[in-house]
Every structure is written in C-alpha cells, then in structure tokens.
Amino acid sequence: MTIVPIHGEYITLGQFLKITDIISSGGQAKSYLADAVIHVNGEPDNRRGRKLYPGDKVRVLHAGEFLIEAEPG
C-alpha cells in the first residue's frame, strides 16, 4: 500500500489521481473516471469531487492501493 501525504483537511479524488501520477493533468480526470474502477474505503466511487480525508483507503484497478495520510507539520 502506498502512503499519500496531503496538506490540509482533504483532497478531491481528481487531485489524488494527479498527485499519484495516475493521470498527467487535471483535465484528464473526468474521462479517466468514466472508465476506471475505483473503490474508496471499499465502496465504488468515480466522483471527481469526492473528498478524501486522512485514513481513507483508495484502490484503483491496475494502479494499486493507497492510504491517505495527513502530512506532519
């Protein structure tokens, strides 16, 4: 499982895809999410604006599993 540190309270699923290099630009999020199989905390979700908080687990088919964590400091 890959740890994804975030600044602030949350990030969106679209931002998550970009910072993990699953997509190369934010503009690709909508089309990627239309076809991707993504689970957040075990539930399917493909909403670009879905808020991800520290402790959330994200599984992206063909990309891996990720854990959202608050960045220290």
Side-chain angles (χ1 to χ4, degrees), residues 9-65:
E9 184 180 353
Y10 66 86
I11 61 170
T12 65
L13 184 54
Q15 291 169 323
F16 163 82
L17 294 172
K18 179 145 179 8
I19 66 172
T20 55
D21 293 326
I22 294 172
I23 59 174
S24 59
S25 74
Q28 293 177 319
K30 186 176 182 179
S31 61
Y32 181 83
L33 289 168
D35 297 324
V37 177
I38 298 176
H39 288 83
V40 177
N41 298 325
E43 297 291 324
D45 202 330
N46 66 343
R47 296 173 293 154
R48 164 176 65 181
R50 165 71 188 256
K51 293 177 180 175
L52 302 174
Y53 295 91
D56 283 346
K57 294 179 183 176
V58 182
R59 184 167 44 95
V60 182
L61 189 65
H62 306 299
E65 295 186 13

